[in-house]
Amino acid sequence: METPLFSIITVCFNAAGCIGRTVKSVREQLFADYEYIIIDGASSDGTLEIVKNSGVRCDRVVSEPDSGIYDAMNKGIGIARGEYLIFLNAGDSFFADDTLLKAAGMIKAGAPDILYGDTAITDLNGDFIAMRRLRPPKELRFDSFRMGMTVCHQAFWVRRKIAPPYDLAFKYSADYDWCVRILKRSPRPVCMNSGMTLVNYLSGGTTEKNHRASLRERYAVMCREYGKASTMMLHLWFAARTAFSKTAALLHGRKAAV
């Protein structure tokens, strides 16, 4: 059995309202050297019926209870056969129908361990809201994540052989921890900036809904990987910058009112 270039993994649970957009974007890809894996948490709202009737080619569908999104992602990694992992969760989609085609050309030319790119933010209707605030750096290194989730998880495509399982001790930021560990502990990872917008990311996901808890977990990862003192100083700077921005906005509002 030949190894596909990409393993596209969609994790979902009761996602009937948005799964259609995701599977449609997979079905419409102009590049076919991939396997498509769906890890469903035993949905009861018709999610799998939508997938079945969509016409998308599913290589593996697992539907059973899990311990959360990262447990489901680990299941996907465990059965994936492709050279590169792509996590495209319910509501997310590829940016264009030629996204995989262009990415495959870059991979074949450069053979990176990690291919990364930009992310567009969309609403529940799939309409564009804005580009993601944190834009991918020209060169991605371990230190790049010192300022936070520099590259969106869905736009961080990793060679499967260097991808560890997600740490289930983190409920909301295991993806951040995963990216940092790959960049730090993998044997000299070669990162390639695609220069493209790779995915549309659905606004309002699990991490956004649990923003404070997610930030606490990211802080713990930062302290572990980048040092407690430097992380504390950086967050003091974050706080000062936020306070300055709010004050400036307030003063601007008062001047406008006058």
Side-chain angles (χ1 to χ4, degrees):
M1 185 178 293
E2 293 186 6
T3 301
L5 183 60
F6 299 112
S7 288
I8 306 168
I9 302 170
T10 293
V11 169
C12 56
F13 176 64
N14 286 342
C18 61
I19 191 71
R21 182 165 61 253
T22 303
V23 296
K24 180 175 182 288
S25 79
V26 175
R27 188 189 69 228
E28 293 179 345
Q29 287 302 298
L30 301 177
F31 183 80
D33 187 13
Y34 65 81
E35 64 173 355
Y36 189 32
I37 299 169
I38 291 184
I39 308 294
D40 175 70
S43 293
S44 59
D45 67 342
T47 293
L48 292 184
E49 285 75 9
I50 292 172
V51 173
K52 181 179 179 180
N53 295 327
S54 70
V56 71
R57 186 192 84 216
C58 287
D59 298 271
R60 295 287 300 274
V61 177
V62 176
S63 183
E64 61 187 19
D66 55 53
S67 299
I69 187 170
Y70 300 117
D71 180 35
M73 288 179 178
N74 281 343
K75 291 180 182 181
I77 292 176
I79 63 177
R81 299 182 299 108
E83 292 185 40
Y84 291 85
L85 300 173
I86 300 174
F87 286 97
L88 197 70
N89 293 334
D92 303 329
S93 58
F94 289 113
F95 185 72
D97 60 6
D98 62 353
T99 297
L100 287 186
L101 182 65
K102 290 180 178 179
M106 295 177 186
I107 286 173
K108 290 176 181 178
D113 288 333
I114 299 166
L115 181 76
Y116 67 100
D118 217 332
T119 304
I121 308 299
T122 60
D123 62 19
L124 282 170
N125 296 318
D127 295 327
F128 176 79
I129 297 175
M131 295 305 294
R132 189 169 183 265
R133 183 180 63 82
L134 291 179
R135 311 301 292 272
K138 291 183 178 180
E139 295 183 5
L140 187 65
R141 302 184 299 272
F142 166 63
D143 283 347
S144 299
F145 277 75
R146 185 171 176 266
M147 301 292 288
M149 197 77 176
T150 307
V151 178
C152 180
H153 178 231
Q154 282 80 345
F156 187 90
W157 300 0
V158 182
R159 192 182 290 275
R160 179 172 56 86
K161 290 183 178 179
I162 70 168
Y166 292 87
D167 186 346
L168 301 186
F170 298 106
K171 293 184 178 180
Y172 309 111
S173 291
D175 50 353
Y176 174 77
D177 169 72
W178 188 73
C179 293
V180 171
R181 284 190 289 129
I182 288 172
L183 289 169
K184 180 181 180 181
R185 297 184 173 91
S186 297
R188 299 180 64 183
V190 179
C191 304
M192 177 183 288
N193 188 339
S194 69
M196 299 191 303
T197 301
L198 295 178
V199 294
N200 298 310
Y201 174 78
L202 176 62
S203 178
T206 301
T207 299
E208 291 183 33
K209 291 176 181 177
N210 298 277
H211 186 61
R212 288 182 179 272
S214 174
L215 290 179
R216 286 195 293 269
E217 289 187 351
R218 288 189 190 185
Y219 182 80
V221 175
M222 289 177 181
C223 287
R224 183 193 71 203
E225 299 294 351
Y226 302 115
K228 188 172 183 179
S230 62
T231 298
M232 289 179 64
M233 291 299 295
L234 184 63
H235 278 71
L236 287 173
W237 178 76
F238 285 158
R241 183 184 62 180
T242 300
F244 177 80
S245 298
K246 289 182 178 179
T247 301
L250 180 62
L251 291 174
H252 179 75
R254 286 178 177 175
K255 289 181 180 179
V258 176

